[in-house]
Amino acid sequence: MSQERQSLFQQTGVSPAGMQQLVATHGFSPALAKELNLPLTSEKVPLNYALILFPGFQALDVFGPLDILNMIAQLIPLNLYILGPTLDPISTSAFNNLSGANFSQTLQPTHTFASPPSNIEVLLIPGGLGTLYPENTASALEFLKATFPQVPQTITVCTGSALLAQTGHLDNRRATSNKSLWAWVKSQGPAVQWVEKARWVQDGNLWTSSGISAGMDCVYAFAEEAYGKGLAEFVRVMGEYERHEDSKWDPFAEVWGLGGEVENGESTGK
């Protein structure tokens, strides 16, 4: 048995066979969480999430983090709001589909940027090719300018941090983003303390991840802080995900010729 599997079963005090029986009996449910005595970081945990969408969002930027939160929501009563310019479905395909492919997915907003819910506790901001086109993100940008300062926690994935940087709210804060578009990302927020070599960066209540798949590691780290290590580890093992727990693990910085000197545990980005 691997050390990481031991970690989960040692935390819960339940054997692998016993765990399988409990999941088969209770499914993913509050009853299962009670049986496993999964600890929470505190009684006051974030429950209300708002996902920001625009045409050309990256699918895994959205669905990777959401799948982790979907599983957590079977144990804790989370709420998800999906925000867009209108209530029309929003596609992963940017308007400049040069290949002529008919291959994309859509999500249906629950709210518009003009009429958002009042109880947002966590903003989820994906990236994607759509962030390269101002006409795709104009309404999202205006919403973030007005809303970001009032929201307790924010998570960006990939070039979602570049979008948020355009508001000026990231000035003098540490953040990272997709390394394949690093020069463009930096141009969107010259006053941001961009960290070149990082899987994700936490700066207080702001969590920013590197490109696409890195969003899942970032959200696992967020979930561990918000809901407790036991719950985060349970969801990880049930999802059969090999998580990177070191925020400085970033082989793609080297691929793209990045990765400045390390200072206080993070690269300087210089």
Side-chain angles (χ1 to χ4, degrees), residues 148 152-154 169-176 192-193 195 200-208 225 266:
F148 174 82
Q153 303 265 14
T154 295
H169 291 315
L170 294 194
D171 288 359
N172 302 312
R173 300 193 67 173
R174 296 167 60 255
T176 196
V192 178
Q193 297 177 23
V195 181
W200 75 89
V201 169
Q202 181 187 5
D203 185 338
N205 65 347
L206 172 67
W207 302 69
T208 60
E225 181 169 294
E266 296 289 357

Side-chain angles (χ1 to χ4, degrees), residues 173-201:
R173 300 193 67 173
R174 296 167 60 255
T176 196
S177 194
N178 189 307
K179 304 315 183 315
S180 68
L181 287 168
W182 194 248
W184 176 80
V185 165
K186 290 177 66 177
S187 73
Q188 304 308 297
V192 178
Q193 297 177 23
W194 293 108
V195 181
E196 288 185 348
K197 189 174 183 180
R199 185 68 169 171
W200 75 89
V201 169

Side-chain angles (χ1 to χ4, degrees), residues 4 6-7 26 28 32 36 40 53-54 66 70 106 121 165 187 204-205 208-209 215 226 230 233 241 247 261 266 270:
E4 61 185 22
Q6 285 182 353
S7 173
H26 298 290
F28 271 58
L32 177 64
L36 296 178
L40 298 179
L53 286 188
F54 47 83
L66 283 190
N70 280 346
T106 60
E121 294 176 282
S187 73
N205 65 347
T208 60
S209 86
E233 177 67 2
Y241 182 73
S247 66
E261 295 181 2
E266 296 289 357
K270 297 178 182 179

Side-chain angles (χ1 to χ4, degrees), residues 249-268:
W249 181 87
D250 186 9
F252 298 101
E254 184 177 353
V255 167
W256 294 101
L258 305 171
E261 295 181 2
V262 173
E263 181 176 76
N264 296 326
E266 296 289 357
S267 62
T268 61

